[in-house]
Amino acid sequence: MKVTGGTTTAPAGLRTDSDVPVDISRVPAREAAERELSDPRYHENDPNLLQRGLDRFWEWIDHLFGAASGATPGGVLGLVVVILLVIAVLAALWWRLGTPHRAPGTTGDSLFADGPRTARDHRADADRHAAAGRWNQAVQERTRAIVRSLEERALLDPRPGRTADEAAAEAGRSLPAHADDLRLAVRAFDDVTYGGRTADEAAYRRVEGLDTALERTRPTLDTASTRTSV
């Protein structure tokens, strides 16, 4: 086949029924080919839109890892080691710090969310949860029992919306000998309530022991006189 002056000339051996050479210009030939190839029969086995998108995504991932492995000492093996180290560091931080705590005093951080209840009520709930092995709820209810008991004994002023941290700080000023234990108790409360941690029996027993110790504690004359003057 030869091309002369923008036309395509069929070989001499190709003849129509009338034995006349067939000359087709380039543009009509291209349009005819496009029409033929647009026939759905030629595209029955083409990948769908989702498959094409996935293919492009995996090509991008492959290109990304290829570029990263080329820039990392040790190639692909070095890249894998770096990724594993990053995952290990993130896991260690999560294990050590837990889920980020909300800032004290934000909405929903109130220690008592179910309305006024007595310290005895909270202790009874804590005992039920502990008997069933629900240590998170047991820690929460025993901590609430501690704060409610201090309010009932006038060692804390009842105040709606008080957080566990605020209660520990205020009670620690009235009962300085137990200030550290109070902070540890509310830390356990915050961990299971806001931090996504899981308490165990040992954690609950520490809070329970603090509750018992505070029940036996009597304020000093200085503490009583200070609160009376306020």
Side-chain angles (χ1 to χ4, degrees):
M1 180 182 293
K2 64 180 180 178
V3 179
T4 305
T7 63
T8 302
T9 304
L14 179 63
R15 294 289 184 269
T16 63
D17 293 340
S18 60
D19 202 30
V20 178
V22 178
D23 292 336
I24 305 175
S25 64
R26 291 180 179 177
V27 174
R30 184 177 68 250
E31 292 176 348
E34 290 175 351
R35 284 195 299 272
E36 179 66 19
L37 292 176
S38 65
D39 192 316
R41 293 176 300 172
Y42 295 104
H43 303 280
E44 291 177 352
N45 298 320
D46 287 354
N48 57 33
L49 182 61
L50 176 60
Q51 186 62 48
R52 292 198 297 272
L54 288 175
D55 290 342
R56 293 289 180 87
F57 173 76
W58 289 118
E59 289 174 3
W60 176 76
I61 291 292
D62 182 65
H63 175 74
L64 181 65
F65 272 86
S69 63
T72 304
V76 176
L77 180 60
L79 178 62
V80 171
V81 172
V82 170
I83 293 174
L84 292 177
L85 287 175
V86 171
I87 293 174
V89 170
L90 293 176
L93 288 174
W94 180 85
W95 179 260
R96 178 66 181 85
L97 302 177
T99 304
H101 292 192
R102 293 178 292 176
T106 58
T107 303
D109 282 352
S110 175
L111 180 62
F112 300 103
D114 298 330
R117 301 176 65 204
T118 67
R120 178 179 294 180
D121 292 335
H122 288 296
R123 289 191 185 103
D125 285 347
D127 289 338
R128 283 194 292 270
H129 288 306
R134 296 188 293 267
W135 302 115
N136 281 13
Q137 294 88 335
V139 165
Q140 291 171 324
E141 289 303 317
R142 185 62 68 164
T143 304
R144 292 179 177 122
I146 289 174
V147 176
R148 184 65 78 202
S149 176
L150 294 175
E151 290 177 349
E152 292 172 352
R153 296 168 60 194
L155 296 177
L156 280 179
D157 294 325
R159 179 161 55 84
R162 174 186 277 126
T163 66
D165 296 297
E166 292 169 346
E170 294 170 20
R173 290 191 290 270
S174 299
L175 301 166
H178 297 283
D180 291 339
D181 292 333
L182 284 164
R183 282 193 293 270
L184 290 175
V186 300
R187 176 61 183 272
F189 177 90
D190 287 342
D191 283 346
V192 302
T193 305
Y194 311 120
R197 297 289 185 87
T198 300
D200 54 15
E201 182 176 3
Y204 172 70
R205 297 304 175 193
R206 285 193 294 270
V207 180
E208 181 186 39
L210 175 62
D211 186 23
T212 301
L214 290 175
E215 281 292 289
R216 298 171 181 169
T217 301
R218 296 293 178 266
T220 63
L221 292 176
D222 291 342
T223 302
S225 60
T226 299
R227 293 193 60 80
T228 301
S229 62
V230 174

